Amino acid sequence: MVVNILVGLGVALFGFVLQTAMGGINRKIVARVQKRIGPKWYQEFIDIFKLFSKRSVSHGWIFDFGVIMALGGIIATAMFMPVTANIIAFEGYDNFFIFVYLLAVGMLGMAMSASGSGNPLASIGVMRALTTMLAYEVPFMIVVMTIIKLTGGTSSVSEIAAFQQIAGNNWFIIALPLGGIVAIISLMGMLGKKPFETYIAPAEIASGPMVEYGGKQLGMLFVMHEITVFIEVSLFIHLFLGGAATLGVYLLKYFLVYTALNLISSVYARFKIDQVVVFFYKWPLFMAVTQAIIAIYLGWVI
Amino acid sequence: MKSTKFSPMTQEQIDKKWWEIGNYFRRNSLWMLMYCTGCCAIELPPAMTSAYDMERLGMGPMATPRQADVLLVTGYLSLKTLRRLIYTYEQMSEPKYVVGFGSCTINGGIYHDSHAVINKLDQYIPVDVYVAGCMPNTEAVMNGFTDLMGMIKNKTARGWLDYKERNDWYKKNQLDSLGEVLVHDEFHE
Amino acid sequence: MNFASIEMILMITLASGVLAYLIGKLNAKLGSIVTILVSMYVTIAVIYFGYNGELVITTEYLPLVTFKVTNIGLFFASTVTFVFAMVSFFNPFFIDKYKFKALYSMLYIFSLVGILGVFFTDNFMTLFVFFEFTVWSSMFLIPMGKSTKSTTLYFAMSTIGSFALLYAIFLMRSQSGSFDIDQGLAMVSGAKATWTYILLSVAAFAKLGAFPLHLWLPKVLGDAPDPVTAVFSGGLEKLGAFVAVMGLVRLAPVSFNIGAIDMDFARYVIAFIGSITIIIGTLMAIRQDDAKKLLAYSSMSNGGYIIVALTIGNGIAISGALYHVLAHAIASAAAFLAIAAVARKTNTTKMSELGGMIHNMPITYMVYLIAIISMAGIPPMGGFISKWMIFQAVINKGLPIIAIGVFFGSIGSFLYVFRPLAALFLGQQLPEYKHLKEAPFFMVLPMIILSGLIIYTGVLPNYILGKINEIVVDLGATAVTITEYTITGFNGTIHPALISGMFGVGVFVAFLIFITFKKSKKVTLMDTYTAGEFIYTEELLHYSVDFYAPLERLYEKYIHIMEKTYDSIRNKIAEVGHFFKYYFFTNKPEVSVFWIVIIVSLLLWGESLW
């Protein structure tokens, strides 16, 4: 048990290091897209450690407690995440719904802490984040439901990945093309990439939920954000891109997915919040349901 | 003969060591809060975008004073703005630095004889680096930033400590010019 | 005299109801304390005797009433009586606000009697009588709150449910020849089974507040006195779930089978309505300003989950539904009690008028937080287990359209449960409430017990799931595979204790990170980023009005559709009435006589027509 917990914490740490490095590399790539030189690849590490070295302000116990709960919830979620087929802390317990809902604990902690700061912009940011969540989560879950149904009924993330590696089965992004598109769009929403960046919106609501954070609290939220991105991108890799047999393949897939999303995001402007909702409930939901019906009832799977 | 055994560092030395490590991170990741009061602000877009790309120095714009490390005062400050600038400066989390842009923050510049504009910014809040010029070149702005980084490295960017130590003096100057820092007008009961 | 006899418990409770009235006439506070004692007694008696298998079902004094202890009855009875007992602690603190103080205590106990009767009988007539007894006694509790109008609505909707139940009973009796519940449900068949199915669903819908009979729920729960609201949401509403189990699970309607999903059409329709209930409940909850109404709509949406799960009707689904009954009962009771504790101090439940209550009432805040985590179905609380099982059932059955509702409600619940948290408890501390203190100990105590139970149901659900498995087997479905700590569903295994443990580990690590670094500087709530602007009024910095305005704007045009539908139905009925009045009851007596003769002869002939 102790070993498992250590492996789990290791996965969380790995996720943090990986995503922080990827974040830095991607800042560099986006800079190149914009004809800039861009920061050092380890810039994100510097940012986070700098935040930890600063003296922050606190708006009362709920402000601190929420941050702890946020990071704790996300670390707990990451502990269940399989990296490759072999690197997994709690085998058999990597249920898809754990990721969706345990992630929500972290989000709730952050939302609570942000509202506890007493800043209206933070509450507006939380409102937008939750509304965006309502938008992207439903189409995504319908697609995942299709996947669970197609794998013969397993919601274990690593087993879904293993299912796609069996000869004769395509990756689900190919097997379910409509669903794949929906998943990519939803992933953009999950990661808060443009055009779904409504809840951060620095120029509009002063970075939303994070408006009152500085110093170590902001640093912890950054760590939380990095691990969240790791969880979400990993989920996408395992559910749609056939998982990873070795660490190298995993890193490659991770890099490709995250970079592709960043490149898409770097050429878009921001939606308004109601546009986000209307958008997701128009095409992605329609496509997700169509995909579910033709895959489950008609059995048309590539 | 001197003993070679490990001599534990005092708490002070440990703190100093940590501070130096912290300084490395701080100077390589300066997040700015742009208080765009005057025309010098126009120098920031080229500094940020592909022409000069300050992100390669680890700098970037931030939305709120809580998150920011360095406050950029880009131009003249009227009395109304000064109040808000002081309020904003006090909200920043420590350590914090201030960069004053243009001659307006140094001596009032072309507004030196205006009744509504202050002349010397460092009377009211501590300024670590001035970038002179009316308005300064973008090269000068970038140079100012690298200067600030050097100062952080040499531990000479001590403005925020000075503001704590000589708080009475700063407060007195502020009150002399403003009457009071807080405002009560028709919007505030 | 046997104290473990249901009859005895019932009669003691009934008598103490009268006693509470008499004592309450002398001293209102004492009368309400009787309600605590009685409901505690009933809870302990039911749970202790029930789960030790010692409940005696023979009747000595009450005529025509027969009892039977079933696993499901026991489960519902212990859940609901427990909620009653916990809520009763609030009665002494609220009794001064009511006009009829003694009556309140009596009716509170009487509704408990009705509940007990419904859950422990094997006879449809007894069930109906006690069902009505509950409806009537609870009906008079409602107008002691804000308005009497909602009572009318409750009565009207309840009547629909009651008549549906009565017709269903008659239909079953016409086939089985007795009022016995098991026989009636087992023997009804053919088209009558479908009709019974529909009628029982209507009865369940009326009680659960499901679409389209949901209009009473928010009004009643919003207007009723605060403790009564908690009882309604945590207890009385669950009567509907009980009827739903009877109708939706134990009956097999015969319309036609939908081949693709291997599900009967009637079942699918009910599941669809359940799904619509979830969506409407969620959307309406999002736009409420009154915290009680918000939670009322959330009750409605959770009722939808129970309906969806029961229509699917396999082992996982039924256990999910029953676990949801329990999890939602305690969570919503805790949430309503927390709101009630705030309302007692501030005299309002409007979120736009409140703010920063966390600084006055931290324990109440924690109780509310735990309750909403469970209501939103987030681990490590009880709601996650039940929602997980319901999701499994929906996915396994492959119902994408219904899944939209189920997932929407689940994510939407994050939105609406967060709103009171942000607007009422967090945010700026409004000056008019700065002097308030935490609720008194005897109000905090039941809330803490409920919170403890919410965590227990989320961390170690297996004991209760074992009990639910017995019910599932009784209902003829396969039991859920559970070991000491794990639950295995269709799509995999979860280990709730492991999840909670890892959450603990995560929080511990985060806490270590937090204390390693420099201590923060304490600042006040008003010292906050305002883009350099000076703001001194707390209200201006408190975001609580129209919290989800951008989202609300998308659907606010459509929210009154149901009210309008009912209005137009009423107008149509009135028109029909005018029509009859015009043709049959003219001022020419011979026309009236003519029609009367025609109708009488039709009626006489009717036997052969039918």
Side-chain angles (χ1 to χ4, degrees), chain A residues 58 101 118 149 155 212 297, chain C residues 365 396 398 410 428 491 521 529:
Chain A
S58 164
Y101 284 91
K149 188 76 181 153
S155 58
E212 272 302 297
Y297 299 150
Chain C
Y365 168 78
N396 188 55
S410 156
Q428 291 294 337
N491 308 333
K521 189 172 84 178
Y529 172 70

Side-chain angles (χ1 to χ4, degrees), chain C residues 228-261:
Chain C
V228 176
T229 312
V231 162
F232 256 100
S233 169
L236 296 177
E237 226 192 290
K238 301 298 175 268
L239 274 177
F242 186 71
V243 176
V245 172
M246 239 192 286
L248 301 181
V249 181
R250 290 170 71 176
L251 275 177
V254 191
S255 49
F256 65 91
N257 204 42
I258 303 176
I261 45 175

Side-chain angles (χ1 to χ4, degrees), chain A:
Chain A
M1 196 64 202
V2 177
V3 178
N4 287 0
I5 292 174
L6 288 178
V7 172
L9 288 174
V11 170
L13 185 65
F14 167 78
F16 164 66
V17 173
L18 171 67
Q19 170 52 32
T20 315
M22 285 293 172
I25 293 170
N26 266 283
R27 270 169 77 171
K28 190 119 192 148
I29 291 171
V30 172
R32 287 299 160 88
V33 171
Q34 298 169 344
K35 278 189 161 180
R36 288 187 286 123
I37 296 171
K40 310 172 188 74
W41 68 269
Y42 52 90
Q43 183 63 43
E44 300 254 303
F45 288 102
I46 298 180
D47 290 348
I48 288 170
F49 291 127
K50 176 210 69 178
L51 284 171
F52 279 126
S53 79
K54 292 190 69 166
R55 180 155 188 238
S56 56
V57 293
S58 164
H59 285 275
W61 66 273
I62 194 67
F63 187 74
D64 298 339
F65 173 74
V67 173
I68 295 173
M69 184 170 147
L71 183 56
I74 297 299
I75 290 177
T77 320
M79 288 168 78
F80 286 92
M81 181 50 93
V83 178
T84 68
N86 302 319
I87 308 176
I88 171 169
F90 304 101
E91 203 156 353
Y93 297 122
D94 53 346
N95 204 299
F96 168 73
F97 293 103
I98 292 182
F99 295 111
V100 175
Y101 284 91
L102 204 52
L103 212 60
V105 179
M107 301 297 183
L108 180 69
M110 179 174 162
M112 207 166 80
S113 164
S115 285
S117 71
N119 195 308
L121 296 174
S123 291
I124 293 176
V126 171
M127 176 274 277
R128 289 183 176 194
L130 288 171
T131 311
T132 315
M133 197 171 179
L134 183 70
Y136 65 71
E137 204 77 82
V138 175
F140 184 70
M141 284 180 56
I142 301 276
V143 176
V144 174
M145 167 188 166
T146 316
I147 289 180
I148 294 175
K149 188 76 181 153
L150 287 182
T151 52
T154 176
S155 58
S156 155
V157 170
S158 57
E159 277 173 36
I160 292 175
F163 177 84
Q164 299 168 67
Q165 288 161 10
I166 300 169
N169 292 341
N170 274 321
W171 291 353
F172 276 118
I173 199 167
I174 300 164
L176 307 172
L178 286 177
I181 296 169
V182 173
I184 292 170
I185 299 173
S186 297
L187 187 64
M188 305 264 306
M190 274 183 215
L191 300 182
K193 294 282 173 204
K194 280 176 223 160
F196 309 117
E197 189 215 19
T198 5
Y199 56 94
I200 302 295
E204 196 181 337
I205 51 169
S207 70
M210 300 190 304
V211 62
E212 272 302 297
Y213 295 96
K216 67 177 173 183
Q217 280 97 341
L218 186 61
M220 284 168 75
L221 287 188
F222 267 60
V223 175
M224 175 203 145
H225 176 73
E226 308 288 8
I227 302 180
T228 313
V229 174
F230 161 74
I231 292 166
E232 281 157 353
V233 175
S234 299
L235 261 186
F236 183 79
I237 291 172
H238 288 295
L239 293 179
F240 291 93
L241 295 181
T246 60
L247 199 57
V249 176
Y250 177 84
L251 291 177
L252 184 69
K253 282 183 181 170
Y254 193 100
F255 176 75
L256 290 177
V257 170
Y258 190 65
T259 312
L261 291 183
N262 262 311
L263 289 179
I264 297 173
S265 139
S266 67
V267 294
Y268 272 101
R270 191 162 54 233
F271 267 151
K272 268 165 63 182
I273 182 67
D274 43 349
Q275 289 170 331
V276 173
V277 178
V278 171
F279 172 78
F280 271 107
Y281 280 97
K282 211 185 270 169
W283 290 110
L285 185 65
F286 176 71
M287 277 154 69
V289 172
T290 315
Q291 180 71 79
I293 288 172
I294 61 177
I296 297 177
Y297 299 150
L298 306 178
W300 294 350
V301 178
I302 300 167

Side-chain angles (χ1 to χ4, degrees), chain C residues 602 605-610:
Chain C
L602 270 177
W605 190 32
E607 187 69 10
S608 47
L609 260 185
W610 190 252

